[in-house]
Amino acid sequence: MVEEKKFWKRNEVQWFVLRLKWKPVEMLEELLKAEGKETFVPRSYVLRTDPRGRKHRVLKNVLPELVFVHASFEFLQPFVRTAFYGHGLTVSFCKKREGEANRVMVVPAWQMEPFIQATQHLPERILYHRADELELDKGVHVKLHGGPLDGLVGEVARLKGKRKKRLVLRLMDFTAISITTVEPEFIEILSDGC
């Protein structure tokens, strides 16, 4: 019998992706924070026009139904049931298709930390992309030095249909961000990928 490959362990604290349907993610975020768990919801400012024609900057969830939570599966499995029965929240684990099976999605810390760092420090210079929007040409892996993104490792790539090259950070296979401008003096080219 073939041994099942798991990317997560039951009692190990990792970044899981939870999906909340029909309710604002802020409700789930507050419940998790009340339990002492670290959460992350990527947000970005967008311009909205009110009925009178005035424009306002509004903070919007970029991945509307998703909440990233740093916890163990052992904690989250009963929490999901409690959220439904105690608070009426329909919460599920995001899953990734691998062969014939669906696996609970876990984002490795080495991907999650730069993602959080980039989205919190440069929200106006970041573009978000779904996996189906990305058709990346092969790029050079680089590390940034100095500035708010110090230590960030990503890939310089040209997105299809765009003229300029951008620094792209991929998060698993479901999303990526591209940073629109990076000064050349902050870039160190890495050999052999990362």
Side-chain angles (χ1 to χ4, degrees):
M1 189 163 156
V2 178
E3 185 180 325
E4 187 178 326
K5 184 179 177 185
K6 285 189 180 177
F7 294 102
W8 52 272
K9 295 181 178 136
R10 231 174 154 63
N11 57 359
E12 189 176 316
V13 175
Q14 295 181 333
W15 284 101
F16 288 90
V17 186
L18 298 180
R19 181 180 306 276
L20 176 65
K21 293 190 177 186
W22 305 301
K23 304 263 181 156
V25 294
E26 289 76 15
M27 293 174 72
L28 178 60
E29 212 176 0
E30 289 303 316
L31 282 175
L32 287 163
K33 285 182 180 178
E35 293 285 337
K37 302 302 175 192
E38 181 182 1
T39 63
F40 179 68
V41 176
R43 293 180 171 98
S44 179
Y45 283 102
V46 294
L47 280 178
R48 298 276 185 198
T49 306
D50 66 14
R52 293 183 179 179
R54 294 178 293 191
K55 293 188 179 190
H56 301 278
R57 270 178 41 148
V58 178
L59 195 59
K60 177 185 172 233
N61 296 339
V62 177
L63 305 169
E65 298 179 338
L66 302 183
V67 175
F68 297 89
V69 59
H70 199 221
S72 66
F73 187 78
E74 197 172 54
F75 165 80
L76 287 174
Q77 195 172 24
F79 175 83
V80 167
R81 277 188 243 111
T82 305
F84 179 73
Y85 291 113
H87 303 281
L89 301 178
T90 307
V91 181
S92 62
F93 288 94
C94 282
K95 297 189 176 177
K96 181 179 177 182
R97 186 93 177 148
E98 290 193 1
E100 295 295 317
N102 287 329
R103 306 268 185 238
V104 171
M105 189 180 294
V106 175
V107 181
W110 64 268
Q111 281 187 325
M112 197 64 197
E113 289 165 8
F115 181 71
I116 292 171
Q117 181 184 3
T119 55
Q120 287 180 338
H121 288 296
L122 297 174
E124 270 112 34
R125 290 180 25 197
I126 291 180
L127 300 174
Y128 292 84
H129 308 280
R130 291 188 320 269
D132 58 352
E133 295 176 329
L134 287 177
E135 295 179 30
L136 295 174
D137 292 336
K138 290 286 182 190
V140 177
H141 286 85
V142 296
K143 183 174 186 176
L144 299 181
H145 294 285
L149 301 178
D150 188 35
L152 195 70
V153 175
E155 180 180 355
V156 174
R158 180 175 283 130
L159 297 170
K160 298 284 183 184
K162 304 289 182 188
R163 288 182 156 216
K164 294 183 179 179
K165 290 186 178 183
R166 300 170 186 262
L167 178 67
V168 176
L169 296 172
R170 298 179 209 217
L171 187 64
M172 296 290 286
D173 293 329
F174 70 95
T175 190
I177 60 172
S178 63
I179 300 168
T180 56
T181 56
V182 177
E183 301 302 323
E185 61 265 15
F186 294 136
I187 296 176
E188 170 194 353
I189 296 174
L190 301 175
S191 59
D192 300 331
C194 294

